[in-house]
Amino acid sequence: MDAGAITDVAGLEVGHFSDPRRPTGCSVVIAREGAVAGVDVRGAAPGTRETDLLDPTHLVPHVHAIMLAGGSAWGLDAASGAMRWLEEHGIGMDVGAGLVPLVPAAVLFDLHVGDPAVRPDAQAGYAACVAASRQRPAEGNVGAGSGATVGKLFGPELAMKSGIGTASVRLGEVTVGALVACNAVGDVVDPANGQTVAGARTADGRALRHCTAAMLRGEALHPLLAGTNTTIGVVATDAPLTKAEAKRLATTAHDGLARTINPVHTMMDGDTLFALTTGKAARSPGMVVLAVMAAEAVARATLRAARTARGISTSNGLVLPAWDGLDQS
């Protein structure tokens, strides 16, 4: 069954840049005509840019793109490249003296996957914009998902490869789509059956450990630095919304992460979701229905982030299998 994509939402384009030197990159969601936006940060160790302007009480009415990137805080520079591309294409807020493109951003930590000196920069963000289109975006080991991993509670050497995924849900004339780069410290779980899809492996590396069960058995966790994980994403709709409603949509979209990541929103994750609305649909089905659609789209996209990933071996000795490379019992 076609899972759909965030680009099913009218008015949005998506582009990836994947760095050929090591697994890292960035992904951009562009709204050429501007979009009302909100954000909700649930993880305790976020890396973000320009999120304050999304507060419903603040002045700016629209943003022009959202940047998702690897590279930890270094990756926030990718948003500068997106600003340059948008300005060159006549996109931005008119401030009289010129156009100022508004590009909120969030990053995930992938510096342990290969050479940490290689990370997304402004040129990477620019390249992602050049690649942007209305086509269904690639998934798995691309863009912000290039260096994404999951299941690090028992050590990065027992983690697994994840990536970036997309999905959409449609009801009548309204669409809600999501793009999620999953780099969680916990496991990815299929909400349809409760089974772990990807996550921490057993000591021999051959099977899934199942984090919750292992922790409840009292197994010791690996010491981890806060912020060295994080799931980031965008949920978008064409239903007309206010800034306050966009903020609420971002909040309820986190329910989708809670269905598919276990544990989620930890002290070691900086889980952040942006919400966008292009307002292209004639009417909204109401916030309750949109919240259900948003959570479902995010859950499906997160699951696809794990299931479209491919296993890799890195230059610094990590062997990271994907979901289909292990005993799933």
Side-chain angles (χ1 to χ4, degrees):
M1 183 179 67
D2 183 6
I6 193 171
T7 48
D8 294 335
V9 176
L12 296 183
E13 302 169 44
V14 172
H16 298 305
F17 170 78
S18 306
D19 200 308
R21 297 171 295 173
R22 83 159 176 99
T24 193
C26 57
S27 302
V28 66
V29 180
I30 298 174
R32 288 178 183 257
E33 298 176 29
V36 175
V39 67
D40 190 282
V41 178
R42 291 296 178 91
T48 58
R49 166 175 163 158
E50 296 275 46
T51 52
D52 281 354
L53 64 83
L54 303 181
D55 188 301
T57 65
H58 292 182
L59 178 64
V60 173
H62 299 99
V63 302
H64 306 98
I66 300 291
M67 180 63 70
L68 308 176
S72 190
W74 293 105
L76 292 172
D77 191 34
S80 298
M83 288 183 68
R84 179 162 61 89
W85 185 92
L86 290 165
E87 181 186 28
E88 289 175 2
H89 288 76
I91 301 168
M93 183 175 66
D94 189 347
V95 295
L99 296 175
V100 178
L102 299 174
V103 186
V107 293
L108 55 79
F109 183 96
D110 59 8
L111 297 180
H112 61 286
V113 183
D115 182 358
V118 176
R119 54 253 180 164
D121 56 13
Q123 188 56 41
Y126 188 97
C129 292
V130 171
S133 78
R134 294 275 302 128
Q135 300 300 310
R136 177 182 176 82
E139 299 174 281
N141 300 23
V142 296
S146 296
T149 56
V150 292
K152 289 154 278 189
L153 284 169
F154 299 93
E157 70 281 359
L158 295 176
M160 290 178 65
K161 190 71 183 73
S162 183
I164 194 167
T166 189
S168 67
V169 178
R170 185 170 179 83
L171 180 62
E173 61 183 31
V174 170
T175 302
V176 177
L179 181 72
V180 176
C182 183
N183 190 57
V185 72
D187 293 340
V188 175
V189 177
D190 186 342
N193 54 28
Q195 295 300 305
T196 303
V197 173
R201 291 176 284 153
T202 52
D204 62 8
R206 297 179 180 177
L208 290 163
R209 188 186 293 253
H210 306 292
C211 283
T212 297
M215 286 188 286
L216 293 177
R217 287 193 299 267
E219 294 187 22
L221 302 182
H222 179 86
L224 289 172
L225 181 67
T228 54
N229 305 284
T230 299
T231 296
I232 53 179
V234 180
V235 60
T237 183
D238 45 18
L241 299 176
T242 65
K243 280 186 75 173
E245 289 170 331
K247 162 70 174 177
R248 178 52 53 184
L249 194 68
T251 298
T252 56
H254 275 277
D255 291 352
L257 296 186
R259 294 174 194 170
T260 49
I261 299 172
N262 191 10
V264 71
H265 305 145
T266 74
M267 295 296 292
M268 293 167 286
D269 292 284
D271 300 334
T272 299
L273 290 179
F274 296 95
L276 294 176
T277 173
T278 62
K280 297 286 189 180
R283 61 182 61 85
S284 170
M287 285 304 298
V288 173
V289 174
L290 283 174
V292 170
M293 295 172 72
E296 183 64 19
V298 167
R300 293 181 188 181
T302 306
L303 189 59
R304 288 189 63 80
R307 285 194 162 153
T308 58
R310 305 180 309 279
I312 62 170
S313 297
T314 71
S315 59
N316 59 339
L318 284 179
V319 178
L320 299 165
W323 76 279
D324 57 353
L326 288 189
D327 177 1
Q328 297 285 320
S329 62

